[in-house]
Amino acid sequence: MIKDILVHLKVGDGPDVAADYAVSVASRLGAHLTGVAVSYEIDIPHVYTEAFSTDFIETQRAESRRLAAQSVARFEESLRAVGISGEVRTIDGTLGGAAEQIGLMARLYDLIVVGQPDPERMGSEEVVAEAVLFDSGRPVLLVPLKQAKPFSAERILIAWDGGRAAARAVAEACPLLEHASLVEAAVVEAGKVKSDEVPGADLARHLARHGKQVELRRLVPGGDEGIVDVFVKEIAARNIDLMVMGGYGHSRLREFVLGGVTRDMLERMPVPLLMAH
């Protein structure tokens, strides 16, 4: 069951799409929702410290605190409007340090909601998403920048390749599959099939024991299409509400590196994306 949700609050002006979506998730699932707001500090290498005046640094800190307070006020108003159980946690730190704190904090939540990283503008979302994905051991629900609809899990697409990360994602998605009228397991075949068994049949048998019927789909890229091209087309064609996918990549020396398909999907995701690593 998903009863305790954490959402990373957007810093700055404008609507917070991820927070609004998280509110709709918590409302639908009857979950407690915690928003985490960050007052970011400038990460100045020691060798350059003398180049920045104390007044400049204090001005930046004050602005960061103002923006964090703005995020908190916006989130608390959303909670009051819907009438769900919620709270706010605030942390201070540099971008990397704050992301690490959120990754550790997220270990004690059932689900973490983060906004889609903006490919045209550097922000905190990508760093936080990677930290949570690699460090928390919990599922991450990424919300598209242009998401307009509230939470729905009526039609779910599972990107299935039989791998460890995909299996973890499916396990984490089971509480959401209960709400679905359609669960599609899509296998993208870029090469020759190595067995006579229908790809994804093992997953379908497993989920059938949980009382959920799965529609298997074998997707074959055409022409110059890549794996993500195929999934984006399938999502549009089948009117999918939510996609479930393993998060591939690795973490070395506290630096997170996402795999190519994972990063491409994050950049192009047309619907909310549930990932686990």
Side-chain angles (χ1 to χ4, degrees):
M1 297 176 68
I2 296 175
K3 291 298 177 182
D4 204 7
I5 301 173
L6 179 70
V7 58
H8 171 240
L9 301 181
K10 173 186 173 182
V11 174
D13 298 324
D16 190 340
V17 176
D20 291 343
Y21 189 81
V23 167
S24 72
V25 176
S27 179
R28 176 73 182 276
L29 301 182
H32 182 83
L33 180 61
T34 300
V36 57
V38 182
S39 176
Y40 287 104
E41 298 178 359
I42 301 176
D43 189 6
I44 303 174
H46 180 70
V47 68
Y48 296 119
T49 301
E50 294 183 0
F52 294 87
S53 69
T54 301
D55 288 345
F56 172 80
I57 294 174
E58 284 304 318
T59 298
Q60 293 299 311
R61 286 175 177 167
E63 177 63 8
S64 292
R65 287 192 291 268
R66 185 190 71 81
L67 292 173
Q70 185 181 72
S71 298
V72 168
R74 183 170 51 204
F75 177 67
E76 290 179 333
E77 177 57 33
S78 296
L79 293 179
R80 283 192 294 269
V82 180
I84 62 174
S85 171
E87 63 185 283
V88 175
R89 297 182 65 175
T90 57
I91 59 177
D92 300 308
T94 61
L95 179 57
E100 184 174 349
Q101 288 185 66
I102 296 172
L104 295 176
M105 183 190 305
R107 292 176 180 176
L108 294 178
Y109 289 86
D110 301 321
L111 178 69
I112 299 86
V113 181
V114 180
Q116 176 190 19
D118 189 339
E120 298 180 358
R121 182 179 162 206
M122 182 176 292
S124 60
E125 284 78 10
E126 182 171 4
V127 181
V128 171
E130 292 186 4
V132 173
L133 184 63
F134 285 109
D135 213 23
S136 72
R138 309 303 297 149
V140 184
L141 182 58
L142 292 122
V143 184
L145 289 166
K146 298 181 180 179
Q147 181 70 20
K149 296 196 306 181
F151 169 74
S152 173
E154 275 288 313
R155 302 176 68 83
I156 296 178
L157 171 67
I158 298 172
W160 182 248
D161 64 359
R164 173 192 173 282
R168 274 292 314 280
V170 170
E172 298 288 4
C174 277
L176 300 181
L177 298 181
E178 296 176 3
H179 298 265
S181 59
L182 168 73
V183 177
E184 174 185 331
V187 178
V188 177
E189 293 185 4
K192 294 182 178 179
V193 180
K194 296 182 180 180
S195 72
D196 295 331
E197 185 171 39
V198 177
D202 47 357
L203 173 64
R205 284 194 295 269
H206 169 66
L207 292 180
R209 296 186 182 108
H210 287 267
K212 183 57 61 178
Q213 296 302 310
V214 176
E215 179 180 334
L216 300 179
R217 296 269 289 174
R218 175 175 170 266
L219 307 178
V220 181
D224 296 329
E225 286 184 331
I227 293 175
V228 174
D229 295 316
V230 174
F231 282 134
V232 169
K233 282 174 54 179
E234 185 72 2
I235 288 169
R238 304 301 301 277
N239 195 26
I240 297 298
D241 296 312
L242 178 73
M243 182 174 179
V244 176
M245 177 179 173
Y248 296 90
H250 63 272
S251 173
R252 269 186 205 165
L253 301 177
R254 309 305 304 169
E255 291 185 0
F256 306 113
V257 182
L258 292 174
V261 172
T262 302
R263 186 171 296 281
D264 194 12
M265 196 69 217
L266 282 181
E267 291 180 356
R268 301 175 56 193
M269 51 191 281
V271 295
L273 179 63
L274 182 76
M275 303 186 82
H277 176 67

